Amino acid sequence: MQSASTAAEPGNRRILLVEDEQTIADVVRDYLLQAGFQVDVAGDGFSALRLAATRQPDLVILDRMLPGLDGVEVCRRLRQSMSVPVIMVTALGTEDDRILGLEMGADDYVTKPFSPRELVLRVKSVLRRSVKEFSPEPPVELAGFELDPSSRTVTHRGTPLTLTVREFDLLAFMLRRPNQVFSREELIKAVWGWDFGDLSTVTVHVRRLREKIEVNPTKPELLKTVWGVGYRFDAKGDGHGGH
């Protein structure tokens, strides 16, 4: 059985690249191969789902606009069958389009035109957070949650939660710092590792996380909004929800 650090190395990580523009697919594939990753390429949504099922990739780079089945629907179906991290690539620059991809479960997104080097860095960043480390942070037990970073599993009052990579990281960060308020800028740096970025990314992930841990996501008792400042995990919250 390979060690966690070995599993984190690019050569042991398989990327599924879903892109219908051949020129872009060739360039991105070459950059990923040069970085040491194993790469499978799909040119449409249905092929992507078949390859994901058979090849079991460690991460999916998914174009938003695809023939037959668009990237948002592919992401939604992937989320139903596996917990693989997804980076959405979109030529649609509006905030609504980016938010739609995040709401379907994408862990990250890159807007075209993009730098292939930046994309490779994003891939490495997401993979680092999705793989076990030799010395993970200790487990957390708080407000009915039991979170184990080494296995990346979390239960709420005994019920297992299915979280994306970023949702898990966000919950782990907040559980370790109960009753502290963090701005979206602080969260995007601490949880995503970005010095700058679209702050709506944080907003969407907070909303998605609330849907999984709160009794009533519209009136959160655990992950609360501090208006004009940011978010706080309230360890005193009752929070008998979760599913």
Side-chain angles (χ1 to χ4, degrees), residues 146-194:
E146 294 186 13
L147 183 142
D148 183 0
S150 64
S151 62
R152 294 191 67 86
T153 57
V154 58
T155 62
H156 188 209
R157 305 201 181 281
T159 301
L161 301 181
T162 302
L163 304 180
T164 67
V165 171
R166 298 297 192 188
E167 289 166 0
F168 183 94
D169 292 338
L170 177 59
L171 179 60
F173 181 84
M174 299 302 285
L175 282 176
R176 292 185 187 284
R177 298 159 182 86
N179 306 316
Q180 297 182 46
V181 180
F182 296 94
S183 68
R184 294 190 300 171
E185 290 86 352
E186 289 170 329
L187 289 172
I188 209 164
K189 187 167 186 176
V191 178
W192 278 258
W194 303 348

Side-chain angles (χ1 to χ4, degrees), residues 180-243:
Q180 297 182 46
V181 180
F182 296 94
S183 68
R184 294 190 300 171
E185 290 86 352
E186 289 170 329
L187 289 172
I188 209 164
K189 187 167 186 176
V191 178
W192 278 258
W194 303 348
D195 289 326
F196 58 89
D198 186 346
L199 298 181
S200 64
T201 301
V202 178
T203 308
V204 171
H205 279 78
V206 167
R207 184 162 67 239
R208 286 177 53 85
L209 189 55
R210 282 173 172 163
E211 290 171 356
K212 298 179 180 183
I213 68 173
E214 300 281 2
V215 175
N216 182 353
T218 63
K219 296 181 179 179
E221 299 177 348
L222 295 165
L223 188 49
K224 293 187 174 181
T225 299
V226 180
W227 296 107
V229 185
Y231 302 102
R232 179 186 74 234
F233 186 87
D234 191 344
K236 300 184 294 295
D238 188 20
H240 283 78
H243 57 271

Side-chain angles (χ1 to χ4, degrees), residues 2 6-17 32-33 36-41 51-61 82 84-85 123 127 130:
Q2 61 186 3
T6 303
E9 293 300 319
N12 295 296
R13 311 296 276 174
R14 180 174 297 279
I15 309 298
L16 173 57
L17 171 62
L32 289 167
L33 290 172
F37 293 104
Q38 302 173 46
V39 185
D40 296 310
V41 181
L51 270 174
T54 57
R55 304 293 277 176
Q56 295 293 305
D58 296 292
L59 181 142
V60 178
I61 300 172
M82 60 181 66
V84 61
V123 167
L127 284 175
S130 65

Side-chain angles (χ1 to χ4, degrees), residues 16-19 40-57 60-63 66-67 69-71 74-75 78 82:
L16 173 57
L17 171 62
V18 189
E19 171 60 67
D40 296 310
V41 181
D44 63 82
F46 291 108
S47 298
L49 291 173
R50 287 194 294 270
L51 270 174
T54 57
R55 304 293 277 176
Q56 295 293 305
V60 178
I61 300 172
L62 180 60
D63 190 27
L66 294 169
L69 198 66
D70 75 3
V74 172
C75 187
L78 284 173
M82 60 181 66

Side-chain angles (χ1 to χ4, degrees), residues 114-125:
F114 59 85
S115 159
R117 289 188 180 89
E118 179 195 354
L119 181 57
V120 170
L121 290 174
R122 292 284 184 95
V123 167
K124 290 180 177 179
S125 172

